[in-house]
């Protein structure tokens, strides 16, 4: 399965807040993902939106897998993670209703792009 993947221009931060924290006003930008569990409130947002005093891992880049994909489509995440794992690149995968996003650290973007292309994906 060939996927169309687009590298987004912004850098992202992965932020961790306490599980009972309210969703902060700064959680905005072109790409935002908010997940609350019993253990944490996790916010992925534009790096420039994340305050310096928030526990965050910065320097992530966002690859958008151009969708939409039906929920019945199989192998998308496996193809993406397999391409990166085979090249020793860790990732953060975020799925939405329509598509998937693969986040990698900024220092491995070129290697990730090459790995996706090795797997036959169209990356721009």
């Amino acid at each position: 399965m060939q996927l169309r993947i687009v590298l987004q221009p912004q850098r992202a931060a992965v932020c961790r807040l306490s599980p009972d924290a309210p969703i902060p006003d700064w959680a905005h930008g072109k790409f935002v993902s908010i997940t609350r569990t019993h253990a944490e409130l996790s916010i992925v947002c534009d790096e420039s939106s994340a305050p310096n005093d928030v526990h965050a891992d910065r320097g992530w880049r966002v690859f958008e897998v151009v969708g939409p994909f039906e929920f019945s489509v199989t192998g998308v995440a496996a193809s993406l993670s397999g391409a990166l794992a085979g090249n020793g690149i860790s990732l953060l995968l975020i799925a939405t209703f329509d598509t998937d996003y693969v986040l990698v650290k900024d220092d491995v973007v070129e290697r990730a792009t090459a790995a996706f292309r090795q797997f036959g994906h169209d990356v721009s």
Side-chain angles (χ1 to χ4, degrees):
M1 157 191 326
Q2 182 185 40
L3 300 170
R4 187 165 158 253
I5 304 170
V6 177
L7 177 62
Q8 299 301 311
Q10 73 275 12
R11 290 169 48 112
V14 181
C15 308
R16 184 186 189 285
L17 288 82
S18 66
D20 57 348
I23 296 173
D25 291 337
W26 52 260
H28 60 81
K30 293 191 180 275
F31 181 82
V32 177
S33 179
I34 301 172
T35 304
R36 185 184 304 276
T37 69
H38 69 281
E40 67 179 296
L41 173 62
S42 181
I43 299 173
V44 180
C45 63
D46 287 355
E47 187 177 71
S48 61
S49 298
N52 290 332
D53 62 344
V54 169
H55 181 63
D57 190 18
R58 301 168 196 284
W60 292 87
R61 294 296 302 277
V62 179
F63 285 98
E64 176 183 358
V65 184
V66 178
F69 298 102
E70 297 293 324
F71 286 113
S72 60
V73 174
T74 61
V76 174
S79 180
L80 299 166
S81 61
L84 297 180
N87 286 277
I89 301 170
S90 62
L91 66 93
L92 173 63
L93 182 66
I94 297 175
T96 66
F97 193 92
D98 285 337
T99 193
D100 293 333
Y101 296 86
V102 178
L103 285 73
V104 301
K105 293 299 276 193
D106 192 44
D107 63 341
V108 296
V109 166
E110 290 180 21
R111 287 181 45 221
T113 298
F116 288 143
R117 287 184 176 143
Q118 275 183 306
F119 259 58
H121 301 310
D122 176 24
V123 184
S124 58

mmCIF file of all heavy atoms in Angstrom, residues 10 12 24 32 39 59 70 72 74 86 90 96 101 104 113-115 119 121 123:
data_model
loop_
_atom_site.group_PDB
_atom_site.id
_atom_site.type_symbol
_atom_site.label_atom_id
_atom_site.label_comp_id
_atom_site.label_asym_id
_atom_site.label_seq_id
_atom_site.Cartn_x
_atom_site.Cartn_y
_atom_site.Cartn_z
ATOM 1 N N GLN A 10 5.652 23.022 10.947
ATOM 2 C CA GLN A 10 5.838 23.412 12.350
ATOM 3 C C GLN A 10 6.537 22.324 13.154
ATOM 4 O O GLN A 10 6.491 21.160 12.818
ATOM 5 C CB GLN A 10 4.496 23.766 13.011
ATOM 6 C CG GLN A 10 3.603 22.584 13.300
ATOM 7 C CD GLN A 10 2.734 22.132 12.140
ATOM 8 O OE1 GLN A 10 2.901 22.542 11.007
ATOM 9 N NE2 GLN A 10 1.778 21.267 12.430
ATOM 10 N N ALA A 12 6.675 20.529 16.933
ATOM 11 C CA ALA A 12 5.673 20.234 17.962
ATOM 12 C C ALA A 12 6.349 19.931 19.295
ATOM 13 O O ALA A 12 7.526 19.569 19.350
ATOM 14 C CB ALA A 12 4.803 19.055 17.542
ATOM 15 N N PRO A 24 -5.520 23.675 29.059
ATOM 16 C CA PRO A 24 -5.037 25.054 29.107
ATOM 17 C C PRO A 24 -5.350 25.845 27.838
ATOM 18 O O PRO A 24 -5.506 25.273 26.754
ATOM 19 C CB PRO A 24 -3.524 24.890 29.282
ATOM 20 C CG PRO A 24 -3.221 23.550 28.726
ATOM 21 C CD PRO A 24 -4.444 22.706 28.938
ATOM 22 N N VAL A 32 -2.973 20.020 17.080
ATOM 23 C CA VAL A 32 -3.168 19.837 18.521
ATOM 24 C C VAL A 32 -3.830 18.486 18.743
ATOM 25 O O VAL A 32 -4.803 18.140 18.068
ATOM 26 C CB VAL A 32 -4.058 20.944 19.127
ATOM 27 C CG1 VAL A 32 -4.294 20.687 20.606
ATOM 28 C CG2 VAL A 32 -3.449 22.312 18.915
ATOM 29 N N ALA A 39 -3.876 8.675 34.292
ATOM 30 C CA ALA A 39 -2.521 8.978 34.758
ATOM 31 C C ALA A 39 -1.978 10.327 34.308
ATOM 32 O O ALA A 39 -1.012 10.817 34.896
ATOM 33 C CB ALA A 39 -1.570 7.879 34.287
ATOM 34 N N GLY A 59 10.816 19.612 19.988
ATOM 35 C CA GLY A 59 11.624 19.244 18.834
ATOM 36 C C GLY A 59 11.063 18.104 18.008
ATOM 37 O O GLY A 59 11.799 17.386 17.350
ATOM 38 N N GLU A 70 -10.798 4.717 5.809
ATOM 39 C CA GLU A 70 -11.898 4.028 6.487
ATOM 40 C C GLU A 70 -11.308 3.238 7.656
ATOM 41 O O GLU A 70 -10.159 2.804 7.606
ATOM 42 C CB GLU A 70 -12.614 3.074 5.522
ATOM 43 C CG GLU A 70 -13.272 3.762 4.338
ATOM 44 C CD GLU A 70 -14.437 4.640 4.758
ATOM 45 O OE1 GLU A 70 -15.160 4.268 5.711
ATOM 46 O OE2 GLU A 70 -14.617 5.710 4.139
ATOM 47 N N SER A 72 -11.852 0.343 8.408
ATOM 48 C CA SER A 72 -11.619 -1.040 8.000
ATOM 49 C C SER A 72 -10.280 -1.242 7.282
ATOM 50 O O SER A 72 -9.847 -2.378 7.075
ATOM 51 C CB SER A 72 -12.758 -1.516 7.091
ATOM 52 O OG SER A 72 -12.823 -0.698 5.923
ATOM 53 N N THR A 74 -6.556 -1.800 6.853
ATOM 54 C CA THR A 74 -5.556 -2.364 7.754
ATOM 55 C C THR A 74 -4.144 -2.115 7.220
ATOM 56 O O THR A 74 -3.942 -1.951 6.019
ATOM 57 C CB THR A 74 -5.753 -3.876 7.941
ATOM 58 O OG1 THR A 74 -5.623 -4.514 6.663
ATOM 59 C CG2 THR A 74 -7.117 -4.176 8.528
ATOM 60 N N GLY A 86 12.634 -0.292 11.239
ATOM 61 C CA GLY A 86 13.694 -0.938 10.480
ATOM 62 C C GLY A 86 14.920 -0.064 10.304
ATOM 63 O O GLY A 86 15.989 -0.551 9.952
ATOM 64 N N SER A 90 12.595 6.086 16.396
ATOM 65 C CA SER A 90 11.408 6.002 17.249
ATOM 66 C C SER A 90 10.372 7.010 16.772
ATOM 67 O O SER A 90 10.685 7.972 16.070
ATOM 68 C CB SER A 90 11.776 6.242 18.717
ATOM 69 O OG SER A 90 12.300 7.533 18.869
ATOM 70 N N THR A 96 -6.448 10.065 14.095
ATOM 71 C CA THR A 96 -7.684 10.825 14.219
ATOM 72 C C THR A 96 -8.775 10.072 13.467
ATOM 73 O O THR A 96 -8.536 8.985 12.940
ATOM 74 C CB THR A 96 -7.534 12.241 13.631
ATOM 75 O OG1 THR A 96 -7.336 12.145 12.211
ATOM 76 C CG2 THR A 96 -6.367 12.985 14.269
ATOM 77 N N TYR A 101 -1.026 10.536 11.976
ATOM 78 C CA TYR A 101 0.099 11.455 12.029
ATOM 79 C C TYR A 101 1.253 10.729 12.690
ATOM 80 O O TYR A 101 1.068 10.063 13.702
ATOM 81 C CB TYR A 101 -0.262 12.711 12.827
ATOM 82 C CG TYR A 101 -1.360 13.514 12.171
ATOM 83 C CD1 TYR A 101 -2.691 13.212 12.416
ATOM 84 C CD2 TYR A 101 -1.060 14.547 11.290
ATOM 85 C CE1 TYR A 101 -3.704 13.927 11.798
ATOM 86 C CE2 TYR A 101 -2.070 15.266 10.676
ATOM 87 C CZ TYR A 101 -3.392 14.960 10.936
ATOM 88 O OH TYR A 101 -4.384 15.657 10.317
ATOM 89 N N VAL A 104 8.249 12.421 14.618
ATOM 90 C CA VAL A 104 9.627 11.989 14.862
ATOM 91 C C VAL A 104 10.414 13.201 15.337
ATOM 92 O O VAL A 104 10.020 14.342 15.091
ATOM 93 C CB VAL A 104 10.294 11.374 13.606
ATOM 94 C CG1 VAL A 104 9.515 10.168 13.110
ATOM 95 C CG2 VAL A 104 10.472 12.400 12.507
ATOM 96 N N THR A 113 12.214 10.409 6.329
ATOM 97 C CA THR A 113 11.739 10.622 4.956
ATOM 98 C C THR A 113 12.301 9.538 4.036
ATOM 99 O O THR A 113 11.566 8.936 3.241
ATOM 100 C CB THR A 113 12.152 12.018 4.457
ATOM 101 O OG1 THR A 113 11.539 13.006 5.304
ATOM 102 C CG2 THR A 113 11.712 12.245 3.023
ATOM 103 N N ALA A 114 13.580 9.267 4.149
ATOM 104 C CA ALA A 114 14.212 8.227 3.323
ATOM 105 C C ALA A 114 13.615 6.859 3.633
ATOM 106 O O ALA A 114 13.384 6.051 2.717
ATOM 107 C CB ALA A 114 15.725 8.220 3.551
ATOM 108 N N ALA A 115 13.355 6.573 4.912
ATOM 109 C CA ALA A 115 12.780 5.281 5.293
ATOM 110 C C ALA A 115 11.379 5.113 4.708
ATOM 111 O O ALA A 115 11.041 4.036 4.200
ATOM 112 C CB ALA A 115 12.728 5.157 6.820
ATOM 113 N N PHE A 119 10.041 2.336 1.702
ATOM 114 C CA PHE A 119 8.849 1.488 1.796
ATOM 115 C C PHE A 119 7.865 1.780 0.672
ATOM 116 O O PHE A 119 6.766 1.223 0.657
ATOM 117 C CB PHE A 119 8.169 1.682 3.164
ATOM 118 C CG PHE A 119 8.460 0.590 4.151
ATOM 119 C CD1 PHE A 119 9.755 0.283 4.528
ATOM 120 C CD2 PHE A 119 7.419 -0.140 4.712
ATOM 121 C CE1 PHE A 119 10.006 -0.725 5.443
ATOM 122 C CE2 PHE A 119 7.671 -1.149 5.623
ATOM 123 C CZ PHE A 119 8.977 -1.443 5.997
ATOM 124 N N HIS A 121 6.479 4.809 -0.106
ATOM 125 C CA HIS A 121 5.529 5.877 0.150
ATOM 126 C C HIS A 121 5.972 7.164 -0.549
ATOM 127 O O HIS A 121 7.160 7.401 -0.768
ATOM 128 C CB HIS A 121 5.394 6.124 1.658
ATOM 129 C CG HIS A 121 4.941 4.907 2.420
ATOM 130 N ND1 HIS A 121 3.840 4.164 2.043
ATOM 131 C CD2 HIS A 121 5.456 4.305 3.500
ATOM 132 C CE1 HIS A 121 3.698 3.159 2.884
ATOM 133 N NE2 HIS A 121 4.669 3.211 3.771
ATOM 134 N N VAL A 123 6.504 10.929 -0.252
ATOM 135 C CA VAL A 123 6.714 11.907 0.813
ATOM 136 C C VAL A 123 7.033 13.275 0.214
ATOM 137 O O VAL A 123 7.892 13.382 -0.664
ATOM 138 C CB VAL A 123 7.880 11.487 1.743
ATOM 139 C CG1 VAL A 123 8.026 12.478 2.900
ATOM 140 C CG2 VAL A 123 7.685 10.079 2.254
#
